[in-house]
Amino acid sequence: MHTNFWKFCLLGAFLLTIAGCVDSYQPPEITAPNRYLVVDGFLNGSGPTVIRLSRTRNLADARKASFETKALVQVEGEKTKAMTLAETSTGVYTLSSTLGPGDRYRLRVKTSGGTEYLSDYVAIKQTPPIERLTWQPLSNAVQIYVDTRDPSNNTRYYRWEYQDTYEFNSAYEPLLEVAPGNTIRDRSSATPENIYKCWTSGASTEIMIGSTERLSQDVLSKQPLLLVATNTPKLRVKYSILVRQYAQTREAYEYWDNLKKNTEQLGSLFDPLPSQLPGNIRCVTNPSEPVLGYLSGHTVAEMRLFISNAELPAIVIPNGNESCMLDTVEAKYQSAMIASGMLPVSTLDGTPYSKGVDVLMSHKACVDCREKGTNIRPSFWK
């Protein structure tokens, strides 16, 4: 028995020695201080054009994304003079006027450091309308579909983005509130601010594309768009999604398709290998410098869908408050608990508050829904 013990000790020491001799490999692509320009946006034929400019950073860089500010950004038409975009927020440039379909346009960017970038000319494609948004419950999610068609058979390539919003509640609807000096009082019965019902929104991060290239008709029926998982609070009360549809050229579709393969379908032996993503934007100052992004031009079609929890089958959907608990707090500790991030909910028996009584308290995120969203009802909510 002692012999086996020493064998294990020697083996462990040997493995530790080997591990100590192995140096981590840091490929130059990971550590290189490359800061390539990223162009995100499109030329809008049905509203304002918004272009976002940022810079890449290597994987070892823990800093936040770097935005390209104070740049001169212009849209140039073959038949019209250059139009300058205004920097409406950090790294975001906006052209308020709508671009007409009778011209071809390109984007010119000149940074504050003097580097110049130029895109190819692109035409404004007309996007067909979305015919329907439908949904179907599955075992652990809700599948959302889109239907669209182009009777002229001229579109063939499609891309979608979405913004979704859902309603949610805090764990407890408080009868008490915090007064000045971290004291407690009854919530005002006149105009109490709602902190029980809130909404939160998010934007799509995945790449959603579709094509009718191999079909005789330019028709997409029940095209799968996205899955909304039932293990999140999104479907607990009511969920809404606004889908935006964009007509694409074949070249733009191939760019997004390659980007989707490179970013979403890697990880197994049979997945496609990463490939370079040539766009239609180049650096004029230094032609060997890569530029990330693809400039398209198109109108926008959109449609909104609502899904109420009452429409779903009888499935258990979490409310996001499963870890919330109520604690009984004596009067002498209440101010300190408020200072630490707790909020009062009610007296022990639900009667009006009086000084010196024990109260029920919980963490702020369990009482005030504004910690996770906004209590301002969206204008489109119904």
Side-chain angles (χ1 to χ4, degrees):
M1 183 173 180
H2 290 290
T3 303
N4 289 335
F5 171 77
W6 287 110
K7 285 182 178 179
F8 282 121
C9 288
L10 290 172
L11 178 61
F14 177 69
L15 293 175
L16 287 173
T17 302
I18 293 177
C21 296
V22 176
D23 294 327
S24 61
Y25 174 58
Q26 296 290 335
E29 291 79 7
I30 293 179
T31 57
N34 296 321
R35 297 185 68 253
Y36 301 134
L37 183 69
V38 180
V39 181
D40 178 21
F42 62 91
L43 304 181
N44 196 339
S46 54
T49 290
V50 179
I51 303 294
R52 296 171 179 83
L53 301 180
S54 60
R55 290 283 176 175
T56 62
R57 53 191 173 89
N58 63 46
L59 295 177
D61 193 345
R63 293 175 298 177
K64 293 183 179 179
S66 175
F67 298 100
E68 189 68 35
T69 63
K70 300 179 181 179
L72 175 63
V73 182
Q74 293 181 312
V75 172
E76 300 174 349
E78 286 184 322
K79 303 176 183 177
T80 55
K81 63 180 182 179
M83 296 166 279
T84 301
L85 284 69
E87 187 172 7
T88 51
S89 60
T90 305
V92 179
Y93 300 83
T94 303
L95 179 68
S96 58
S97 57
T98 300
L99 300 175
D103 199 357
R104 297 203 314 156
Y105 305 89
R106 66 181 180 183
L107 186 72
R108 186 182 295 273
V109 176
K110 188 173 184 179
T111 68
S112 58
T115 308
E116 193 166 355
Y117 303 85
L118 192 64
S119 77
D120 295 338
Y121 279 107
V122 297
I124 304 297
K125 286 183 68 69
Q126 185 69 35
T127 300
I130 297 173
E131 290 192 335
R132 281 179 300 275
L133 290 177
T134 56
W135 58 274
Q136 178 182 359
L138 306 177
S139 58
N140 59 354
V142 167
Q143 175 71 66
I144 295 179
Y145 304 94
V146 59
D147 288 10
T148 188
R149 72 176 63 229
D150 182 359
S152 64
N153 292 333
N154 288 329
T155 302
R156 293 297 181 182
Y157 304 100
Y158 299 84
R159 186 169 70 89
W160 298 274
E161 293 179 333
Y162 69 83
Q163 183 173 24
D164 62 356
T165 304
Y166 67 92
E167 179 182 325
F168 68 96
N169 299 319
S170 57
Y172 311 105
E173 189 166 9
L175 301 176
L176 307 177
E177 65 183 6
V178 177
N182 281 350
T183 57
I184 296 175
R185 66 188 180 196
D186 290 318
R187 279 177 61 81
S188 171
S189 58
T191 56
E193 184 171 12
N194 163 47
I195 62 172
Y196 177 68
K197 179 191 292 186
C198 281
W199 294 263
T200 188
S201 298
S204 52
T205 56
E206 62 268 49
I207 297 171
M208 298 173 291
I209 53 178
S211 171
T212 63
E213 180 184 16
R214 299 183 180 180
L215 303 178
S216 59
Q217 299 294 317
D218 198 351
V219 177
L220 287 173
S221 179
K222 294 198 73 173
Q223 168 78 17
L225 197 63
L226 78 150
L227 287 168
V228 183
T230 54
N231 62 353
T232 71
K234 286 188 173 184
L235 297 167
R236 176 79 179 195
V237 182
K238 182 179 283 189
Y239 173 84
S240 176
I241 181 171
L242 176 67
V243 176
R244 295 186 176 94
Q245 178 169 280
Y246 311 132
Q248 303 285 276
T249 62
R250 182 188 182 92
E251 294 77 16
Y253 178 85
E254 290 175 347
Y255 174 86
W256 288 105
D257 188 38
N258 286 332
L259 184 60
K260 183 179 180 71
K261 291 174 181 176
N262 281 0
T263 58
E264 299 178 9
Q265 299 176 12
L266 295 178
S268 76
L269 180 63
F270 302 103
D271 283 328
L273 295 175
S275 59
Q276 189 175 0
L277 298 172
N280 60 351
I281 309 169
R282 64 190 182 278
C283 180
V284 178
T285 309
N286 179 13
S288 63
E289 178 186 329
V291 183
L292 282 70
Y294 194 98
L295 186 72
S296 298
H298 47 73
T299 60
V300 180
E302 61 181 39
M303 181 175 286
R304 181 176 293 280
L305 171 71
F306 281 91
I307 303 175
S308 174
N309 180 268
E311 301 175 83
L312 298 173
I315 53 178
V316 177
I317 297 176
N319 56 25
N321 300 316
E322 284 72 20
S323 62
C324 292
M325 297 179 62
L326 287 171
D327 290 326
T328 301
V329 181
E330 298 179 33
K332 59 182 178 181
Y333 301 120
Q334 289 167 8
S335 292
M337 295 301 286
I338 291 171
S340 71
M342 303 282 281
L343 288 181
V345 177
S346 69
T347 57
L348 298 186
D349 57 4
T351 57
Y353 175 78
S354 59
K355 188 175 181 180
V357 303
D358 297 348
V359 299
L360 296 173
M361 302 185 75
S362 189
H363 191 273
K364 190 174 184 178
C366 298
V367 182
D368 190 341
C369 64
R370 295 173 299 178
E371 292 293 296
K372 302 176 184 177
T374 176
N375 63 353
I376 301 175
R377 182 186 180 95
S379 59
F380 58 82
W381 206 254
K382 62 179 182 179

